[in-house]
Amino acid sequence: MKSIKRKKYLNELISLRNNGMIKIITGMRRCGKSYLLFEIFTSYLETSGTAPDHIIKVDLEDYKNRTMRNPDNLYAFVESRIIDDGMYYILLDEVQMLDNFEDVLNGFLKMRNVDVYVTGSNAKFLSKDIITEFRGRGFEVKMYPLSFKEYMSAYSGTMQAGFNEYMLYGGLPQILSYETEEQKVRFLKTLFDETYIKDIKDRYDIRKDDDLEELINIMASGIGALTNPNKLANTFRSEKKSVISYDTVKDYIDYLCDSFLVEKSTRYDIKGKRYVNSPYKYYFMDLGLRNARINFRQSEKSHLMENMIYNELRIRGFNVDVGVIPIVVKGEDGKQQRSNLEVDFICNLGSRRYYIQSAYRMESDEKIRQERASLLKVDDSFKKIIIIGEESPVTRDEAGITTISIYDFLLKDNSLEL
């Protein structure tokens, strides 16, 4: 398998080098954090002139380093390696396995000639915890599975074949090392059950896990659908004949988000310029894991492409909301009633904003009208885009709505400006 450079994340680490803060690389298990830190970033440091003995690397997940999970042992080890006034780079993998890691890392910050980089895979490394524990001295670098462009850089088949496999098996880097469908399926199913689910059960001491497992199945079956904890609890009561509280469902969803398995997208009222608290949409950060969870039974490409677009926008650093436009329509009885049009994604990054619709197929005039309807109701000057699931030239209609192919969107860095 070709090596994948992960340039976006390397460049971010380079930009943060020697800034006096702890660089904390977060993200789901097996998305490539260790490889980024111990291979890609280490190679950069060495080629930039850093002596190997000034790079202190400890994989805390490795059994042979288990004694380093004791904070006193790790601190003593690092101190013993620092023997001159040169800059030392401390690289710690899966630092949540270190007891009292917050105190240890804050202690490293007091050393004059060290620069600290760590990885973590669970709830202790959410932004709110970094802000709390490191008091403005920690900087989160959030890492995602491979983008489609990164995936294709190591994939040897055609673009269409790569797209279909990426949509089915996802973007965890290790998936590219397997040759057969059976190997890929086994890897994903085992990873979900033996790593992600086990982590959640152990971390939050969940004894009765049937409801958690069923909740994951329901969410995996409904990607892109509006939902909330109360609606999910009602689904348990009506369809699963199981009584589960709103609070329990909310906690379980939070655990899935904390473990980087899913992300929540909030609705935003475009006309009223305010957030609508409920319901929400939830997207899986890796489609391969989602598909494995439901035994690859549901492969509706329209929903999968919507999830794929969401993930790409997040990889690019956008905050992504679901757009809502309240309208008044006449019902069959002739009376006026309130309704909502939906914009799939409102993407914000600094002063940039885009409104995006995901439309796997627009094979009829009615479907075209349907996809354009909500965008035509947005009365500001930000760009409006429809992404379609087939190869097609970029077009722009009389209302200024741009239509682009999913391939152009995923593979071209400037795709939102085409």
Side-chain angles (χ1 to χ4, degrees):
M1 187 184 77
K2 299 177 186 175
S3 62
I4 302 171
K5 304 301 184 184
R6 311 308 300 266
K7 289 183 181 179
K8 174 187 183 298
Y9 304 105
L10 174 60
N11 289 338
E12 188 165 3
L13 292 182
I14 293 171
S15 72
L16 298 170
R17 185 180 174 188
N18 301 333
N19 70 348
M21 301 176 74
I22 300 168
K23 275 65 70 173
I24 305 171
I25 306 166
T26 65
M28 68 192 314
R29 292 272 197 164
R30 305 295 181 263
C31 73
K33 301 184 300 298
S34 303
Y35 187 78
L36 171 68
L37 197 59
F38 283 0
E39 300 294 333
I40 298 175
F41 187 60
T42 296
S43 175
Y44 163 78
L45 290 175
E46 291 179 349
T47 57
S48 299
T50 302
D53 62 357
H54 280 57
I55 303 173
I56 305 170
K57 299 189 290 186
V58 181
D59 178 2
L60 290 161
E61 197 172 34
D62 192 327
Y63 180 75
K64 71 182 181 184
N65 293 326
R66 63 193 181 281
T67 60
M68 294 293 184
R69 297 170 192 168
N70 177 289
D72 295 330
N73 292 344
L74 178 66
Y75 204 86
F77 170 74
V78 170
E79 278 194 317
S80 73
R81 293 284 303 274
I82 299 174
I83 57 176
D84 58 36
D85 292 333
M87 180 61 70
Y88 285 80
Y89 295 88
I90 303 174
L91 314 182
L92 305 178
D93 193 28
E94 299 296 354
V95 76
Q96 75 275 359
M97 301 190 74
L98 171 67
D99 294 336
N100 302 315
F101 68 87
E102 300 93 340
D103 290 340
V104 176
L105 296 181
N106 279 318
F108 287 152
L109 282 175
K110 299 184 187 309
M111 296 182 178
R112 183 180 54 81
N113 59 327
V114 302
D115 196 19
V116 184
Y117 301 77
V118 305
T119 76
S121 299
N122 69 16
K124 291 184 177 181
F125 289 87
L126 294 179
S127 300
K128 62 178 182 288
D129 299 299
I130 292 169
I131 291 169
T132 301
E133 299 295 350
F134 302 109
R135 301 174 182 84
R137 293 182 292 175
F139 193 97
E140 182 182 19
V141 176
K142 191 166 186 179
M143 194 172 188
Y144 288 83
L146 300 175
S147 69
F148 181 59
K149 185 175 182 180
E150 289 175 321
Y151 181 92
M152 287 305 296
S153 73
Y155 182 79
S156 57
T158 66
M159 180 178 67
Q160 182 64 59
F163 180 81
N164 290 335
E165 290 207 20
Y166 182 77
M167 184 177 278
L168 189 61
Y169 299 119
L172 294 178
Q174 196 171 339
I175 206 73
L176 284 160
S177 66
Y178 296 111
E179 295 184 358
T180 69
E181 292 182 3
E182 291 78 7
Q183 290 171 338
K184 294 174 183 178
V185 169
R186 190 184 314 121
F187 164 70
L188 290 168
K189 290 175 72 70
T190 301
L191 187 61
F192 206 116
D193 293 338
E194 300 300 325
T195 300
Y196 292 105
I197 300 301
K198 187 176 184 301
D199 276 356
I200 292 171
K201 290 176 183 177
D202 291 347
R203 190 177 309 135
Y204 301 106
D205 194 25
I206 297 174
R207 305 293 175 84
K208 184 185 175 186
D209 56 18
D210 290 350
D211 287 340
L212 171 64
E213 302 252 5
E214 189 58 46
L215 175 66
I216 295 171
N217 292 340
I218 293 171
M219 294 179 70
S221 297
I223 54 172
L226 290 167
T227 192
N228 58 33
N230 196 49
K231 184 177 179 180
L232 289 167
N234 290 336
T235 299
F236 271 87
R237 282 190 285 269
S238 63
E239 297 181 14
K240 310 301 176 183
K241 308 305 179 186
S242 172
V243 178
I244 185 172
S245 71
Y246 167 94
D247 289 335
T248 299
V249 172
K250 184 179 181 302
D251 286 343
Y252 285 174
I253 292 174
D254 287 344
Y255 300 161
L256 296 174
C257 291
D258 289 349
S259 300
F260 306 105
L261 274 171
V262 299
E263 281 196 346
K264 179 174 74 175
S265 187
T266 305
R267 291 197 303 163
Y268 182 78
D269 181 342
I270 296 172
K271 295 289 187 182
K273 294 181 171 53
R274 63 184 181 87
Y275 280 100
V276 182
N277 286 332
S278 182
Y280 310 102
K281 284 192 176 185
Y282 294 92
Y283 295 98
F284 275 72
M285 291 179 66
D286 183 76
L287 284 175
L289 288 169
R290 177 266 180 187
N291 293 333
R293 181 63 200 180
I294 54 176
N295 293 315
F296 298 88
R297 289 192 307 268
Q298 299 177 21
S299 57
E300 56 298 294
K301 291 188 175 181
S302 59
H303 294 157
L304 293 175
M305 191 178 90
E306 181 181 330
N307 200 142
M308 193 184 296
I309 292 170
Y310 174 87
N311 288 345
E312 177 67 23
L313 291 167
R314 295 291 290 131
I315 289 170
R316 296 187 187 187
F318 286 95
N319 294 312
V320 184
D321 301 315
V322 177
V324 178
I325 303 176
I327 60 172
V328 177
V329 297
K330 280 189 177 181
E332 293 181 359
D333 57 2
K335 294 183 179 179
Q336 290 188 336
Q337 57 188 39
R338 294 183 179 276
S339 183
N340 287 315
L341 294 175
E342 184 178 290
V343 176
D344 287 332
F345 302 120
I346 308 173
C347 320
N348 295 289
L349 181 60
S351 62
R352 299 160 60 197
R353 170 177 285 193
Y354 303 91
Y355 299 98
I356 294 177
Q357 291 288 77
S358 171
Y360 185 69
R361 289 284 183 265
M362 290 204 302
E363 66 280 355
S364 67
D365 291 341
E366 175 57 31
K367 180 64 173 175
I368 294 172
R369 282 195 296 272
Q370 178 185 331
E371 297 296 343
R372 294 176 76 246
S374 58
L375 296 178
L376 291 171
K377 290 288 186 181
V378 179
D379 56 8
D380 63 36
S381 60
F382 292 107
K383 191 169 184 178
K384 301 160 186 68
I385 300 170
I386 300 174
I387 301 174
I388 60 174
E390 56 192 350
E391 291 186 74
S392 174
V394 178
T395 63
R396 189 168 290 105
D397 67 19
E398 70 283 354
I401 297 173
T402 300
T403 300
I404 66 173
S405 159
I406 184 67
Y407 302 105
D408 282 336
F409 169 68
L410 294 173
L411 293 174
K412 295 182 179 180
D413 293 335
N414 66 335
S415 58
L416 296 179
E417 300 301 331
L418 293 175

